[in-house]
Amino acid sequence: MSIEVRLPDDSLRQLAEGATGADLAGGIGARLLDAALAIRVNGRMVDLNTPLVNGTKVEIVTSKAPESLELIRHSTAHLLAHAVKRLYPQARVGIGPVIEDGFFYDFWVDKPFTPEDLPFIEAEMRKIVAEGVEVVREDLGRDAAVARFQAAGEPLKVEIVSSIPQGEIVSGYRQGDFYDLCRGPHVPSTAKLKAFKLLSIAGAYWRGDEKNQMLSRIYGTAFHTQKELDEHLKRLEEAKTRDHRKLGKELGLYSFHPEAPASPFFHPKGTTVYNELVAYMRALYFKYGYSEVITPQILDVDLWKTSGHYENYADNMYFTTAEEREYAVKPMNCPGHCIMFGSQKHSYRELPIRYADFGRLHRFERSGVTHGLTRVRTFCQDDAHIYCTTEQIKTEMADFLALLKEVYDTFGFEGMRVALSTRPEKRLGSDEIWDAAEGALAEALDEAGMPYTLNPGEGAFYGPKIEFQILDALKRPWQLGTLQVDYMMPERFDLTYTRPDGGEGRPIMLHRAILGSLERFMGILVEHTAGAFPAWLAPVQVAILPITDRAHAFAGEAAARAKAQGFRVDLDLRNESLKAKIRDAQLAKVPYMLVIGDREAEAGNVSVRHRHRGDLGVQALDDFLATLAAEVRLRQR
RNA sequence: GCCCACAUAGCUCAGUGGUAGAGCACUUCCUUGGUAAGGAAGAGGUCACCGGUUCGAGACCGGUUGUGGGCUCCA
């Protein structure tokens, strides 16, 4: 008896009954067998050593297939666990999945691993690779699997397997003396794993629940070749050099101090960028029909009880008492806006009313969750609340999307992804209201033709939210914008407007932000631009570099003229060489350097150097200023 | 909050129990130069904080605070 399988080029191949993918690959060529990692049967990836079935379509998966990277990472995770079990037999294994850019494996150990352990574990992994241990799939009945893990002293695995319905087959893989629960597929031998590196250690809760025990997690990554691995490690280094915490210090933008944990101090240069961002948003608010408001920082706790924050958000709030009256520092602007809206009578003719607020917010974030500028305890959102009717939600949504796209385009963010977060467990309001709110957002997204993913249970306590995610220059995702629909606050604050028929209507409230928070946005922007802000945002737009003292007079005049036109100028009169001045301006990422020597001073010219484009030659000062003015006005990147 | 690591000059970092160091930055002097560091001198530290061990602690131990890598959480 023989079987026949179809290859991707539609050719048929005869094989003996019971032949595997490996036999198929070997029959085609020894080099293919060597490169083979798995096979794809009728589109589904399975182990290379899976027996072939007559009449199926079979494809040999080698390192050329994009999904093979996941395969070797998964197998490398098993390799890691195998090595750990050899070195630390008392370690009990958790789970070891593939993640973006690599994998991890969790271990339950008495003493957590330390970074010094990694080279030893890695060496043991290489030893297992050198041994070329065969990786074999071994399926077991559920009860047999439970018994096997119980005998092996693996309580975490027992817990997982026990949750699988009885009678089901549990797949697992054995490599030498190491057996692991796993769906597979895997590479046929540890010899196939050639380029991997263990990267870091971290604590992680079992099953991601902080009530469970803490496991010791080892992160690593794997690639097909050492060259690819090296390139990846180089990219990680590149990301490190762009770290906004490092660049912020180097460029003198902001700093952090123990006196105010997780709260940035914006230095003059950082404040310039910050204020330019606010000015930009203000200009757009004018264009899009928003009105800016200013509301108090500290408000009576009763307000927060009305808004529901006291009940649902108190853990994240700061409280203070004065004259025996209790207050809270605002973590959000919305309740203040509701007070303002409710303080006047409104006609349907006024709606939508759009209140924008750059108020400072304070949220108590648990120590350990803060991170540079991207997670702080005091920040300011490009926040606005739109009071409108149900019918107006769609046009408001469309206008908001237009505004959002305009902003992200200005900064060069691409690859926007959208997620809809629905009702969380801890929430206000009835299911009917949530149905309406979630429905409104979903419908608006559908109408805008925007594909989105669902984040069940991730909404805010007062309403569902749409979250907008972009990719930065290093293709890393960031959540920036948000749009939330809220039926709750208007209800709780009893907000009304007069309808055309003279009756009272209840407005809907939309919460929205585009940059998210100015703080986080600046951090992201620093990493996106590597600190080289576009000219319109740069803290110093022009550095004026006289070569000798003789040029100081004209350099001073040039600086004065540039300043008169509103440019941010740094006049470098230090007794340093031109080379040194250029170097310092380059390191400060100043967009334009104007070199002024005797020749330029005499003719009223400047020699223009751009931080990226280099020497741009000599031109009249006024011509340069006119060009720069256009670049800044258009907010060119 | 939890697990682990780290904390020395403004910055980046050396310093394995016996007198506190380097480079850069800063100040002064010399140098007046043409597109990424000219030269010299000087000044600068309660080694995060509190306690312990020791004849002696920047170093060893415990605690606190802050920061970092993660987990949980999140703009």
Side-chain angles (χ1 to χ4, degrees):
Chain A
M1 270 298 277
S2 71
I3 57 168
E4 192 177 62
V5 295
R6 186 178 294 274
L7 297 177
D9 64 357
D10 264 341
S11 66
L12 295 169
R13 201 140 184 125
Q14 313 280 335
L15 290 138
E17 173 101 39
T20 66
D23 297 327
L24 172 66
I28 295 169
R31 279 180 52 194
L32 182 60
L33 176 61
D34 190 46
L37 297 169
I39 50 171
R40 199 171 263 294
V41 178
N42 289 344
R44 204 169 69 88
M45 194 153 72
V46 296
D47 296 327
L48 187 63
N49 288 319
T50 308
L52 298 172
V53 177
N54 191 36
T56 50
K57 278 175 84 169
V58 180
E59 184 186 341
I60 313 266
V61 176
T62 66
S63 62
K64 291 202 176 65
E67 63 278 21
S68 64
L69 201 51
E70 261 181 52
L71 180 80
I72 63 159
R73 284 175 180 167
H74 199 174
S75 295
T76 309
H78 277 227
L79 176 64
L80 164 61
H82 190 180
V84 166
K85 286 297 283 184
R86 276 194 183 182
L87 294 170
Y88 312 88
Q90 75 289 356
R92 285 146 294 181
V93 293
I95 56 166
V98 173
I99 52 172
E100 195 168 350
D101 288 339
F103 61 87
F104 66 77
Y105 214 111
D106 286 343
F107 300 95
W108 186 6
V109 283
D110 295 332
K111 202 180 144 295
F113 294 114
T114 67
E116 290 75 52
D117 297 329
L118 294 184
F120 293 106
I121 299 171
E122 221 176 88
E124 190 64 29
M125 288 167 74
R126 295 193 197 289
K127 230 164 98 186
I128 300 171
V129 169
E131 290 165 19
V133 178
E134 206 185 344
V135 181
V136 189
R137 183 177 179 121
E138 277 180 16
D139 292 353
L140 296 171
R142 194 207 75 163
D143 292 344
V146 170
R148 185 163 193 166
F149 284 118
Q150 223 138 29
E154 296 288 1
L156 301 178
K157 291 292 182 189
V158 169
E159 191 182 323
I160 295 174
V161 179
S162 299
S163 66
I164 294 172
Q166 196 157 16
E168 288 211 1
I169 295 295
V170 178
S171 66
Y173 282 79
R174 185 174 54 75
Q175 52 191 72
D177 48 1
F178 176 67
Y179 178 80
D180 197 1
L181 175 71
C182 187
R183 207 169 264 125
H186 279 284
V187 298
S189 160
T190 57
K192 298 275 186 184
L193 306 171
K194 299 185 177 100
F196 52 83
K197 182 159 181 66
L198 301 182
L199 297 171
S200 60
I201 307 274
Y205 297 108
W206 169 237
R207 299 198 145 179
D209 188 334
E210 63 181 324
K211 288 183 203 73
N212 287 340
Q213 68 267 42
M214 180 71 73
L215 307 178
S216 188
R217 173 173 295 180
I218 298 178
Y219 283 95
T221 191
F223 285 86
H224 291 298
T225 64
Q226 189 62 39
K227 194 171 158 234
E228 288 168 322
L229 175 61
D230 290 343
E231 278 165 12
H232 175 74
L233 296 176
K234 225 175 108 187
R235 273 196 301 278
L236 290 182
E237 288 303 312
E238 162 69 13
K240 253 189 226 165
T241 66
R242 283 174 178 247
D243 189 311
H244 74 274
R245 293 164 303 190
K246 180 172 136 65
L247 282 174
K249 202 186 306 190
E250 285 172 8
L251 299 173
L253 299 173
Y254 40 78
S255 59
F256 291 88
H257 303 277
E259 290 81 357
S263 306
F265 288 67
F266 285 97
H267 294 220
K269 286 182 176 177
T271 304
T272 298
V273 178
Y274 189 102
N275 285 339
E276 283 295 334
L277 289 171
V278 171
Y280 172 53
M281 293 311 296
R282 280 205 173 105
L284 288 173
Y285 283 163
F286 183 77
K287 179 173 161 187
Y288 282 81
Y290 288 75
S291 332
E292 188 174 341
V293 300
I294 298 171
T295 53
Q297 204 67 47
I298 297 171
L299 304 99
D300 194 291
V301 281
D302 281 347
L303 172 78
W304 305 105
K305 285 175 182 165
T306 304
S307 69
H309 284 83
Y310 196 84
E311 234 181 295
N312 292 279
Y313 208 73
D315 288 351
N316 287 291
M317 291 168 67
Y318 290 95
F319 293 92
T320 178
T321 306
E323 289 181 340
E324 290 171 28
R325 191 168 164 188
E326 206 186 346
Y327 298 87
V329 182
K330 69 176 171 187
M332 298 183 193
N333 294 309
C334 19
H337 291 179
C338 287
I339 289 184
M340 194 175 320
F341 183 94
S343 69
Q344 290 166 314
K345 264 288 212 196
H346 295 285
S347 155
Y348 73 95
R349 294 172 193 277
E350 293 173 61
L351 301 185
I353 286 176
R354 309 183 188 91
Y355 290 149
D357 198 329
F358 291 103
R360 179 137 300 275
L361 308 178
H362 288 80
R363 297 185 188 174
F364 175 75
E365 301 289 352
R366 298 199 291 176
S367 60
V369 311
T370 59
H371 178 97
L373 280 181
T374 58
R375 190 81 181 275
V376 291
R377 286 183 177 157
T378 172
F379 60 103
C380 159
Q381 294 179 313
D382 58 323
D383 197 14
H385 295 100
I386 302 172
Y387 297 89
C388 64
T389 65
T390 315
E391 299 74 50
Q392 288 168 332
I393 291 181
K394 271 171 213 159
T395 54
E396 285 307 304
M397 169 95 175
D399 288 355
F400 174 68
L401 284 175
L403 173 53
L404 185 95
K405 282 178 179 159
E406 182 172 346
V407 172
Y408 292 173
D409 192 49
T410 296
F411 295 103
F413 292 129
E414 285 163 5
M416 183 159 77
R417 273 182 273 177
V418 185
L420 175 58
S421 296
T422 57
R423 65 195 81 182
E425 264 179 50
K426 206 174 171 187
R427 62 174 184 264
L428 300 174
S430 68
D431 286 352
E432 290 74 47
I433 289 182
W434 279 90
D435 288 342
E438 289 169 6
L441 285 181
E443 206 179 306
L445 281 173
D446 288 340
E447 242 169 66
M450 297 191 100
Y452 60 92
T453 54
L454 220 52
N455 289 337
E458 302 282 315
F461 69 85
Y462 48 78
K465 55 186 182 184
I466 298 174
E467 290 172 337
F468 299 90
Q469 200 182 66
I470 49 79
L471 298 177
D472 73 5
L474 294 185
K475 304 287 175 213
R476 293 171 301 182
W478 295 99
Q479 198 235 299
L480 298 179
T482 180
L483 175 66
Q484 307 168 12
V485 56
D486 182 355
Y487 289 73
M488 232 68 72
M489 297 269 173
E491 185 79 32
R492 291 181 150 247
F493 283 93
D494 194 24
L495 303 182
T496 59
Y497 65 93
T498 309
R499 292 195 311 247
D501 63 9
E504 279 195 339
R506 178 82 71 207
I508 312 257
M509 188 174 176
L510 303 179
H511 306 241
R512 38 107 301 163
I514 294 169
L515 305 180
S517 85
L518 271 304
E519 282 74 8
R520 168 182 285 182
F521 189 79
M522 189 176 319
I524 292 165
L525 197 58
V526 165
E527 305 206 357
H528 180 61
T529 61
F533 294 109
W536 69 275
L537 275 174
V540 175
Q541 297 167 311
V542 182
I544 296 184
L545 314 178
I547 299 173
T548 69
D549 296 357
R550 294 186 301 279
H552 280 195
F554 180 62
E557 190 194 324
R561 275 158 69 183
K563 276 186 191 171
Q565 292 192 32
F567 295 115
R568 298 183 286 269
V569 180
D570 181 40
L571 177 59
D572 189 349
L573 298 180
R574 291 176 306 158
N575 181 9
E576 288 290 350
S577 65
L578 177 63
K579 278 173 188 281
K581 290 181 181 182
I582 286 177
R583 182 182 144 87
D584 289 344
Q586 283 286 152
L587 291 176
K589 319 226 177 192
V590 177
Y592 289 99
M593 287 151 259
L594 302 184
V595 175
I596 298 178
D598 292 334
R599 297 197 292 270
E600 289 81 5
E602 199 166 321
N605 289 336
V606 291
S607 175
V608 183
R609 178 188 164 97
H610 184 266
R611 65 183 167 202
H612 295 140
R613 285 174 278 152
D615 193 345
L616 301 182
V618 175
Q619 50 180 293
L621 173 64
D622 290 332
D623 291 346
F624 166 76
L625 293 177
T627 312
L628 179 59
E631 182 178 338
V632 168
R633 191 177 59 248
L634 297 172
R635 294 198 169 87
Q636 287 175 356
R637 297 206 289 269

